[in-house]
Amino acid sequence: MFTFSVVDSSIGDKVDDFGLSAVEAFNATSGFDDLHIYVSYAHGTEGLDAMYGAEKLPRLLKLKKNWDPKGLFSYNNGLPH
């Protein structure tokens, strides 16, 4: 898990850029074909396939639409409604 604490807000964008490039380099050299991450540890830049699994995502989206059409049950990195 990559985490950065920025005290000086004037360098926040540079730290974000560095963090994203470090994560991309790590993923590219991990030895895995696809990116998978626990939803609780995701930053939101990984995409829904990586968080929920490409094979499960269509069914999850259908269930979300059926059981929570107004999007009342949402949280960080939640499924779109």
Side-chain angles (χ1 to χ4, degrees):
M1 186 163 147
F2 292 93
T3 306
F4 301 94
S5 297
V6 178
V7 178
D8 183 355
S9 62
S10 69
I11 63 168
D13 290 339
K14 292 178 183 177
V15 171
D16 287 344
D17 291 343
F18 169 76
L20 288 173
S21 66
V23 169
E24 288 172 3
F26 180 80
N27 291 337
T29 59
S30 69
F32 295 100
D33 294 333
D34 296 321
L35 174 64
H36 296 276
I37 188 165
Y38 289 110
V39 176
S40 298
Y41 294 127
H43 290 280
T45 58
E46 299 85 359
L48 294 176
D49 285 348
M51 289 186 272
Y52 294 100
E55 66 283 348
K56 296 178 185 176
L57 188 57
R59 182 171 182 264
L60 288 172
L61 291 171
K62 186 177 176 182
L63 288 168
K64 172 75 171 176
K65 184 178 180 181
N66 185 40
W67 290 97
D68 187 22
K70 296 182 182 179
L72 298 175
F73 298 97
S74 294
Y75 55 93
N76 291 339
N77 302 318
L79 293 169
H81 59 276

